[in-house]
Amino acid sequence: MEINWEQLRQVAAKASEKAYAPYSNYPVGAAAITDSGQIISGANVENASYGLTLCAECSLVSELFAKGGGKLVAFCCVDQEGAVIMPCGRCRQLLSEHAATGMMLETISGIKSIEEVIPDAFGPSDLQEN
Ligand code: THU
């Protein structure tokens, strides 16, 4: 599948305009393509109790389920200027649960697979009884 990364970055940048980031003043937008070809997005939503902040990836995963679920095949997130940023560690874990095998993401050091950015990820199979 050929991914239009420029388009995905633009969708993410547009989503960042909806961020609620009064504490960090660091709006983030995320965008992804699902295995059914839908493009979804999300933005960070902060909280006065700082630790409750929802990253843009959290909003995106909520949107994934709101739109019927599925798996993510391509992902990127950007800052307010539209520059690619690396998903935080917690969000790599979050994304890995909902990523199709080999999901590609744009990082600050190029296009990588989800498996490359969170190797040996803990996941649903770890909870299966033997
Ligand atoms: N942030 C995200 O939304 N995603 C990330 O992967 C990195 C960090 C947000 C959280 C917080 O609202 C702001 O960026 C500054 O840390």
Side-chain angles (χ1 to χ4, degrees), residues 84 86 106-112 117:
V84 168
M86 191 68 191
E106 191 164 29
T107 78
I108 56 169
S109 50
I111 309 291
K112 297 195 173 160
V117 301

Side-chain angles (χ1 to χ4, degrees), residues 9 11-31 42-46 53-57 59 76-86:
R9 277 197 301 276
V11 172
K14 189 81 189 156
S16 78
E17 294 171 12
K18 299 276 166 56
Y20 174 69
Y23 307 109
S24 70
N25 289 311
Y26 189 80
V28 175
N44 52 337
V45 179
E46 297 185 344
T53 287
L54 303 175
C55 283
E57 293 87 335
S59 305
C76 77
C77 56
V78 302
D79 66 14
Q80 197 172 18
E81 269 74 54
V84 168
I85 63 166
M86 191 68 191

